[in-house]
Amino acid sequence: MAEQESGQALDAAFFIRWLTACAAAVEREASRLTDLDAAIGDADHGSNLQRGFRAVAEVLAKDAPATPGAVLTLAGRQLISTVGGASGPLYGTLLRRTGKALGDAAEVDRAALADALGQGVAAVAQLGGAAKGDKTMLDALEPAVDALATSYEGAARAAEEGAVATTPLLARKGRASYLGERSIDHQDPGATSAALLVTTLAEIAGQAPAAGSGQ
Amino acid sequence: MSAGDAQADAGLVGIVLVSHSAAVASSVAELAKGLAGGGTTAPVAAAGGTPDGGLGTSSELIVAAAAEVDRGAGVALLVDVGSAVLTVKTLLLDEDELPENARLVDAPFVEGAVAATVTASAGAGLDAVVAAATEAYDYRKV
């Protein structure tokens, strides 16, 4: 595939489509996320994200903000107030900080989104005090944001690979860290849901990796 | 809390106890107030669990609890684990969610709640309340 132009214009409607598709993807994958969380967490990651993204889809269906930044900020707020687990403030901060970084532009391009998401991911790292390699959502998000500077497809692949690569890691943050070595050999649920959101972004941009190439 | 209490505790630092469990938050609030003595105690509010009664953290309950105990002298928030910590940190980054003088306290939950409530009930300011709760980490049991 030829290198994509950064120029495809992403407007508020694009981000509403993305987040609505994320809600559908979370519904579809909720039991898998919860099963992964049952192994090393408290078995609520799927249902927590389901509650949060349902609320996001509902609020965006009712009240469609005019700019990409406002869409992401509203969605982030909604996650913070509805999820009930650590993924709420973490994903809420990711979307809210990304939205703030996009400012009030009516349209943004992929490069601007990659830059803004980079600021969102940095805010997540700061909030949770985690770094890449700690077996968290950052293991999917950091490589995805780096790859998004080049293509949506690459971002989706990088996120999936990052999520799969958490399996042999020892958890250093959150409830899973109490398990010590018993956290090894389980894929991190947060990295898995993060990869789901990035893959959905690539799908909505029309640049999903070919079937079978990922996981 | 009755209107009379709200008068008597005017100017005291408020305490919010955030736990994944409603029962833990309200029991620790009761314990802290009980140990604070018989006079006027600082306003203490529990923000435990999710609004539907499950285990978790609710930003809605935290915001409501902070508003309930805000007497203008500051609000100290004590938290248990994980999402309770992250939710309060996230709310503090938002200018309009919590009272202006709200602070997350790095303290053990039960001991910190007792120390904060006793200190606040004695009329100490927010800095002293936070320091007392934080010092609870230094008390060794063995």
Side-chain angles (χ1 to χ4, degrees):
Chain A
M1 181 178 296
E3 184 166 336
Q4 298 148 24
E5 285 179 35
S6 187
Q8 180 188 354
L10 313 173
D11 58 6
F14 172 89
F15 286 94
I16 292 174
R17 282 201 302 280
W18 172 41
L19 292 166
T20 307
C22 286
V26 165
E27 293 286 345
R28 196 179 66 230
E29 299 289 332
S31 62
R32 178 170 164 245
L33 294 173
T34 289
D35 287 349
L36 289 172
D37 195 29
I40 57 172
D42 50 358
D44 63 4
H45 191 52
S47 51
N48 280 348
L49 284 188
Q50 219 171 359
R51 182 166 52 244
F53 274 95
R54 270 181 198 164
V56 166
E58 258 168 49
V59 76
L60 291 176
K62 250 193 333 236
D63 167 23
T67 64
V71 170
L72 293 173
T73 306
L74 177 64
R77 253 174 191 281
Q78 201 68 8
L79 290 178
I80 291 164
S81 63
T82 57
V83 167
S87 56
L90 292 168
Y91 279 127
T93 293
L94 174 68
L95 296 186
R96 209 165 61 170
R97 185 62 69 90
T98 302
K100 277 185 187 159
L102 290 176
D104 50 14
E107 290 181 344
V108 301
D109 62 13
R110 178 170 43 72
L113 176 58
D115 184 56
L117 266 176
Q119 294 180 47
V121 172
V124 169
Q126 198 193 358
L127 175 64
K132 198 168 159 237
D134 285 347
K135 199 177 182 105
T136 72
M137 58 173 70
L138 293 175
D139 291 314
L141 290 175
E142 286 195 357
V145 165
D146 290 345
L148 187 61
T150 310
S151 74
Y152 293 104
E153 185 184 354
R157 279 185 207 282
E160 277 296 338
E161 285 165 14
V164 170
T166 60
T167 303
L169 297 179
L170 178 78
R172 290 205 184 81
K173 287 288 160 190
R175 186 197 177 282
S177 65
Y178 302 149
L179 295 177
E181 299 206 335
R182 279 172 291 153
S183 68
I184 292 172
D185 278 338
H186 298 283
Q187 184 168 323
D188 181 62
T192 308
S193 60
L196 187 63
L197 305 187
V198 177
T199 302
T200 305
L201 174 69
E203 281 167 13
I204 296 303
Q207 308 286 347
S213 66
Q215 194 181 340
Chain B
M1 176 170 298
S2 73
D5 289 339
Q7 290 279 326
D9 63 18
L12 296 185
V13 170
I15 316 287
V16 172
L17 302 177
V18 185
S19 169
H20 277 57
S21 152
V24 168
S26 60
S27 298
V28 173
E30 191 188 334
L31 172 67
K33 281 199 279 196
L35 294 180
T40 300
T41 58
V44 181
T50 57
D52 60 7
L55 296 179
T57 307
S58 160
S59 63
E60 193 185 313
L61 294 179
I62 296 168
V63 169
E68 185 192 323
V69 299
D70 182 18
R71 303 286 183 271
V75 174
L77 296 107
L78 287 102
V79 299
D80 61 3
V81 296
S83 59
V85 184
L86 297 180
T87 301
V88 170
K89 278 187 176 174
T90 304
L91 289 172
L92 286 170
L93 291 175
D94 228 355
E95 286 107 25
D96 54 353
E97 297 272 16
L98 294 173
E100 201 176 326
N101 221 350
R103 215 180 294 168
L104 171 61
V105 186
D106 184 11
F109 193 64
V110 176
E111 293 87 336
V114 171
T117 306
V118 170
T119 310
S121 298
L126 183 61
D127 285 341
V129 170
V130 169
T134 307
E135 275 166 22
Y137 270 132
D138 298 332
Y139 174 73
R140 309 316 310 177
K141 295 175 187 175
V142 288

